[in-house]
Amino acid sequence: MQPILFDDEYWSQRYQAHTDAWDMGMPSPPLTQYINQLTDKNLRMLIPGCGNAYEAIYLLQQGFANVTLIDISAYLVQQLQQNPLLQQARILHQNFFDHTEKYDLILEQTFFCALHPSQRKAYAQHMHQLLAPNGKLVGLLFNDHFEQSPPFGGSANDYGELFSTDFYIKQMAACYNSVAARKGRELFFILTRK
Ligand SMILES: C[S@@+](CC[C@H](N)C(=O)[O-])C[C@H]1O[C@@H](n2cnc3c(N)ncnc32)[C@H](O)[C@@H]1O
């Protein structure tokens, strides 16, 4: 098991204090656009470090039937479990690194950047384990660096090097449809399991 550098208490305190500047209050447009072209509503989907889970609400509204959410913050998970819009989702209070199931699609959105860089290799390896043979890891990564962290940033080169052991990098490109505050600072990526 990985050491938890930012734990339940850290994240719960941030949600309770509303120091959650990452929260966009809406699903991420690059992800909704990606979701819109999916046809198989039975895909087994996972959103780790789901936060307020706007993408999950969007998925459920589009008729996706098999959505699992994981977050380490007990405070947040309790809120999610009371949200009527998320009743069809499976919501787990868990450390991502302790989760062991198989998924067809895992969505990434400001979870990777919330982890300490020392956990990145473990993130890549664990994502690989969680994906079914034809599974995909899809989402957004910051193409930026930050003075205060988390978030921990990086570049396409950093991520390419990190993921190429376990994944085929189908796409890792500047994101053209980011929200205004993240314009020019995000990469959209699609990785398939090796
Ligand atoms: C920066 S927030 C992003 C939340 C959400 N993805 C969003 O974009 O609004 C990072 C989230 O990851 C969760 N988290 C951090 N470490 C985790 C871990 N090891 N396992 C599961 N969740 C974790 C935090 O509680 C927090 O909700």
Side-chain angles (χ1 to χ4, degrees):
M1 171 175 146
Q2 288 301 306
I4 304 171
L5 300 167
F6 298 100
D7 58 6
D8 180 350
E9 194 182 337
Y10 172 85
W11 289 106
S12 290
Q13 196 277 331
R14 294 210 50 173
Y15 282 109
Q16 276 167 300
H18 300 288
T19 53
D20 53 356
W22 62 81
D23 191 310
M24 299 198 300
M26 58 181 269
S28 171
L31 288 179
T32 55
Q33 194 161 323
Y34 179 80
I35 290 164
N36 289 347
Q37 52 80 49
L38 296 173
T39 50
D40 182 355
K41 303 282 180 182
N42 291 313
L43 287 174
R44 293 165 293 173
M45 292 192 188
L46 173 68
I47 308 181
C50 61
N52 276 306
Y54 305 107
E55 287 76 22
I57 293 171
Y58 185 77
L59 283 168
L60 296 172
Q61 287 168 341
Q62 306 312 307
F64 289 91
N66 202 334
V67 179
T68 298
L69 307 176
I70 297 179
D71 206 285
I72 203 167
S73 162
Y75 172 80
L76 175 86
V77 166
Q78 203 178 24
Q79 313 276 309
L80 297 180
Q81 285 169 341
Q82 287 165 11
N83 184 340
L85 297 176
L86 286 170
Q87 279 196 347
Q88 303 304 317
R90 185 167 65 128
I91 305 170
L92 305 178
H93 173 225
Q94 198 176 30
N95 180 357
F96 161 75
F97 294 101
D98 292 337
H99 188 65
T100 55
E101 287 184 34
K102 293 286 178 203
Y103 295 90
D104 304 306
L105 177 61
I106 305 181
L107 295 179
E108 164 58 52
Q109 150 93 344
T110 60
F111 169 54
F112 175 87
C113 69
L115 298 172
H116 190 272
S118 64
Q119 294 180 292
R120 287 185 174 180
K121 194 71 210 163
Y123 170 103
Q125 289 169 344
H126 198 59
M127 285 293 188
H128 182 265
Q129 280 178 22
L130 290 173
L131 284 170
N134 293 318
K136 288 182 184 167
L137 171 60
V138 174
L140 296 153
L141 294 168
F142 276 117
N143 187 19
D144 204 355
H145 288 91
F146 300 90
E147 281 182 13
Q148 277 200 325
S149 298
F152 298 95
S155 67
N157 277 349
D158 299 338
Y159 305 138
E161 209 172 298
L162 174 72
F163 288 113
S164 56
T165 313
D166 298 306
F167 295 93
Y168 298 110
I169 300 175
K170 299 289 179 189
Q171 189 173 332
M172 178 72 72
C175 187
Y176 64 88
N177 51 357
S178 300
V179 291
R182 296 183 187 174
K183 260 206 177 1
R185 302 166 59 217
E186 282 187 313
L187 299 163
F188 185 79
F189 72 91
I190 300 177
L191 308 180
T192 57
R193 193 182 188 278
K194 270 189 181 171

